[in-house]
Amino acid sequence: MTHDIAASPEASLAAVMAQFDASQLAHQTLNTTAMAQNKEALFAAMRAAGITEIIVTFDGAGDSGQVEDIDARCGDTAVPMPDTEITLAQVSWGVTEIATNTMSLSEAVESLAYDLLSDSHGGWENCDGAFGEFHFDAEAATILLDYNERFTSSEQFNHSF
């Protein structure tokens, strides 16, 4: 059986790559919009609950990683995480609209931390892994990531005497 090839393989590859680039740009645009909505909802919920900062500690290695702790603060004082629910915007690859999911404030913070880790340092949990903290600052409306990556180093020396 023979196939008629209307375009050269290079042209077909270029078309596929252009389509992928357009899909990736659309996904990034949705992701940026969703993150802006999520930050607005999160910081509003934190301010309404009297929380000035939430600190998320994470650690990962050996192909697994997890959030270790989520601490809410009002100034320098630790406060309990309220039962407040918020709605997060969520984006999935290949889907052209933003979905929403309502969850507790604690679950929302954890979800955002995992999403931001995945986006900025994919594979953070693999091999020697990484550890660090997120600082969600309601007053400044910022999320700061303090990220520490572990690695095994080896130095080889060869001498001839």
Side-chain angles (χ1 to χ4, degrees):
M1 176 182 239
T2 62
H3 298 283
D4 291 330
I5 299 177
S8 68
E10 294 83 13
S12 295
L13 178 59
V16 168
M17 290 305 297
Q19 183 179 5
F20 176 79
D21 288 344
S23 295
Q24 186 174 27
L25 180 59
H27 180 76
Q28 287 173 337
T29 301
L30 280 177
N31 219 15
T32 299
T33 301
M35 182 54 69
Q37 292 173 2
N38 290 340
K39 286 174 67 175
E40 185 178 320
L42 173 68
F43 295 133
M46 288 173 65
R47 286 189 292 271
I51 297 171
T52 57
E53 182 180 35
I54 296 177
I55 301 170
V56 178
T57 306
F58 65 91
D59 194 3
D63 300 337
S64 70
Q66 60 281 330
V67 165
E68 297 283 329
D69 203 13
I70 299 175
D71 291 319
R73 301 198 162 282
C74 180
D76 292 332
T77 306
V79 295
M81 187 70 77
D83 291 333
T84 305
E85 286 196 339
I86 68 169
T87 300
L88 287 186
Q90 297 179 320
V91 177
S92 298
W93 178 259
V95 178
T96 59
E97 294 185 18
I98 294 174
T100 58
N101 191 9
T102 301
M103 60 191 74
S104 71
L105 180 59
S106 181
E107 291 170 323
V109 168
E110 184 172 356
S111 178
L112 286 172
Y114 279 124
D115 288 347
L116 291 167
L117 268 175
S118 175
D119 289 348
S120 61
H121 296 282
W124 63 274
E125 72 283 10
N126 292 328
C127 300
D128 292 342
F131 64 96
E133 291 180 341
F134 281 96
H135 294 263
F136 294 80
D137 185 330
E139 187 174 316
T142 59
I143 303 170
L144 172 71
L145 170 58
D146 179 17
Y147 179 85
N148 303 277
E149 192 164 301
R150 298 183 193 98
F151 61 93
T152 301
S153 178
S154 176
E155 294 185 42
Q156 192 269 334
F157 299 92
N158 193 342
H159 301 278
S160 178
F161 301 101

